[in-house]
Amino acid sequence: MIKFNFDVNDNNEIINYKNRGMTLEKEINDSNDYYLENSIALIYKKATPINIVKCQNNKIIEAYFESKSTTDYNGLYKGKYLDFEAKSTNSKTSFPLKNIKDNQVLHAKRVILHGGISFFIIEFALLNKYFILPSKSLFEFIKNNSTSSIPLSYFLKNAYEIKRGFMPPLDYLNVLKLHLDNF
Amino acid sequence: MIKFNFDVNDNNEIINYKNRGMTLEKEINDSNDYYLENSIALIYKKATPINIVKCQNNKIIEAYFESKSTTDYNGLYKGKYLDFEAKSTNSKTSFPLKNIKDNQVLHAKRVILHGGISFFIIEFALLNKYFILPSKSLFEFIKNNSTSSIPLSYFLKNAYEIKRGFMPPLDYLNVLKLHLDNF
């Protein structure tokens, strides 16, 4: 069976879905740049930790990626601490929970414990849909269900949809600010 | 002229001051581990951003350090966003401002603008003294003075001293919490 990694969009252009993960990251990074430049918020992607073994002068010649113990992004918005992870799925019907690591769940719980705003941005790439899923809603789902993925219907009821735009490409703060009390 | 990088402490043990910067970092990291494990706060050192040029499988074989555009640490304490930089000096009389980069000053201003708590932890290594200097007090000094370093007397008046302890080694949150209104 051949697995297709591409599709066509409304303009009959081929979209390569293999790069979709990168695209979501770029959309968020560009949005964060916009927020920074327009004094809306201060949100950064955390650098990937790297274990450096050997250096020659200023050049690193042996190093390895280390696994992140937390999430991808954190920052500051209207005096609030924000912390989130972004994930993309090619499924059209549900989001596989295996995309979220145990240490990310633990970190999200800690953020809530200390009074921060914790959530996940989930992209259904083939549906061109984006959601803000509050971490509390994720925990609620895991507690009450034994399935290995969250159906789209759960997102439609318990998450907040973000519409794509031009600039910022993914104005998630504009959605978040309407629902801050639910985080 | 020989430049001495060591000194003796009260027990006549030799202290190598070359590693002092590392020591301050370790003291803060150990304190942050303590805060995490005891559910006091969630504060992380930001990973150094690295520009990766070449990889072989999972091994990085060519990469370079990138300059950090912000500060060393950020996190969450009692619902507040905290952001700070740690610096050590061997001077016994003043802290040289050249230790603080322009982009760190800009970042600190942005943190305050968005409602976060911004400060510097400054160690006078040879005096065994540590201070929390609110970024606002740093800006105030720069605005009103044209000198290239901040005298110790300014710290004694405008910063908050942190006493070293056993665990956590540098309980800066215990000092910070008494003065949150001044940040």
Side-chain angles (χ1 to χ4, degrees):
Chain A
M1 196 182 107
I2 299 166
K3 214 172 158 189
F4 290 98
N5 278 318
F6 57 86
D7 206 334
V8 286
N9 67 12
D10 296 340
N11 301 323
N12 277 338
E13 294 160 346
I14 287 174
I15 305 164
N16 185 346
Y17 284 117
K18 250 191 135 173
N19 294 325
R20 268 291 168 139
M22 182 70 93
T23 303
L24 174 61
E25 184 181 319
K26 189 162 164 34
E27 283 166 348
I28 293 174
N29 292 347
D30 288 356
S31 301
N32 291 343
D33 287 346
Y34 176 90
Y35 294 145
L36 179 72
E37 283 155 20
N38 291 277
S39 296
I40 293 167
L42 210 56
I43 297 164
Y44 289 96
K45 184 165 197 299
K46 299 175 196 167
T48 305
I50 285 171
N51 181 17
I52 296 163
V53 179
K54 251 187 234 164
C55 272
Q56 257 173 8
N57 301 320
N58 288 327
K59 186 178 166 181
I60 300 159
I61 55 166
E62 187 181 347
Y64 301 91
F65 292 102
E66 284 190 341
S67 62
K68 227 175 242 182
S69 63
T70 67
T71 43
D72 268 347
Y73 297 89
N74 75 357
L76 175 61
Y77 174 58
K78 293 183 187 290
K80 308 238 176 235
Y81 177 96
L82 257 55
D83 194 291
F84 64 99
E85 179 74 19
K87 293 289 180 197
S88 183
T89 180
N90 281 339
S91 162
K92 290 182 179 179
T93 54
S94 67
F95 175 75
L97 282 167
K98 67 170 194 284
N99 285 313
I100 299 177
K101 303 282 181 294
D102 285 351
N103 55 12
Q104 291 172 336
V105 170
L106 175 62
H107 179 72
K109 284 185 176 166
R110 285 174 168 157
V111 170
I112 292 171
L113 175 72
H114 291 289
I117 305 282
S118 173
F119 56 94
F120 290 79
I121 293 182
I122 306 292
E123 178 192 25
F124 285 82
L126 303 188
L127 303 176
N128 204 19
K129 278 194 179 296
Y130 303 82
F131 295 96
I132 299 178
L133 178 69
S135 294
K136 280 179 190 166
S137 302
L138 171 73
F139 304 152
E140 192 72 15
F141 182 87
I142 294 172
K143 198 178 137 195
N144 296 324
N145 296 274
S146 53
T147 51
S148 61
S149 60
I150 307 178
L152 179 61
S153 60
Y154 190 81
F155 283 88
L156 294 170
K157 262 194 206 155
N158 300 283
Y160 307 106
E161 192 168 352
I162 317 162
K163 297 286 183 190
R164 282 202 73 215
F166 172 60
M167 193 48 83
L170 206 59
D171 196 355
Y172 61 93
L173 289 181
N174 199 33
V175 175
L176 186 79
K177 74 178 182 197
L178 302 173
H179 307 282
L180 274 177
D181 290 344
N182 300 332
F183 282 78
Chain B
M1 196 182 109
I2 299 165
K3 214 173 158 187
F4 290 99
N5 279 318
F6 57 87
D7 206 332
V8 286
N9 66 14
D10 296 339
N11 301 324
N12 277 335
E13 294 160 346
I14 289 174
I15 305 164
N16 185 346
Y17 284 117
K18 248 189 138 174
N19 295 324
R20 266 293 167 143
M22 184 70 91
T23 303
L24 175 62
E25 185 181 318
K26 187 161 165 36
E27 283 166 347
I28 293 174
N29 292 347
D30 288 355
S31 300
N32 290 344
D33 287 346
Y34 176 90
Y35 294 145
L36 179 73
E37 283 155 20
N38 292 276
S39 297
I40 293 166
L42 210 56
I43 298 163
Y44 290 96
K45 182 163 199 300
K46 299 175 196 167
T48 306
I50 286 172
N51 182 15
I52 296 163
V53 179
K54 251 187 235 165
C55 273
Q56 257 172 7
N57 301 320
N58 288 327
K59 185 178 168 183
I60 299 159
I61 56 167
E62 187 182 349
Y64 301 89
F65 292 102
E66 285 190 341
S67 63
K68 227 173 243 182
S69 63
T70 67
T71 43
D72 267 349
Y73 297 89
N74 76 357
L76 175 62
Y77 174 58
K78 292 182 187 288
K80 308 238 177 234
Y81 178 96
L82 256 57
D83 195 291
F84 65 98
E85 179 75 18
K87 293 286 181 201
S88 183
T89 180
N90 281 340
S91 163
K92 289 182 180 180
T93 54
S94 66
F95 174 75
L97 282 167
K98 66 169 195 282
N99 285 314
I100 298 176
K101 304 282 180 295
D102 285 350
N103 54 13
Q104 291 172 336
V105 170
L106 176 62
H107 178 72
K109 284 185 175 164
R110 284 173 168 157
V111 170
I112 293 170
L113 175 72
H114 292 289
I117 304 282
S118 173
F119 58 94
F120 290 79
I121 292 182
I122 306 291
E123 178 191 27
F124 284 83
L126 303 187
L127 303 176
N128 204 19
K129 277 194 181 294
Y130 303 83
F131 295 96
I132 298 178
L133 178 68
S135 294
K136 280 180 188 165
S137 301
L138 171 73
F139 304 152
E140 192 72 16
F141 182 88
I142 293 172
K143 197 179 137 195
N144 297 323
N145 296 274
S146 54
T147 51
S148 62
S149 60
I150 308 178
L152 180 61
S153 61
Y154 190 81
F155 284 88
L156 294 170
K157 262 194 207 155
N158 300 282
Y160 307 107
E161 191 169 352
I162 316 162
K163 297 286 183 191
R164 280 201 75 215
F166 171 62
M167 193 50 84
L170 206 59
D171 196 356
Y172 61 94
L173 289 181
N174 200 33
V175 176
L176 185 79
K177 74 178 182 197
L178 302 173
H179 306 283
L180 275 176
D181 290 346
N182 300 333
F183 282 78

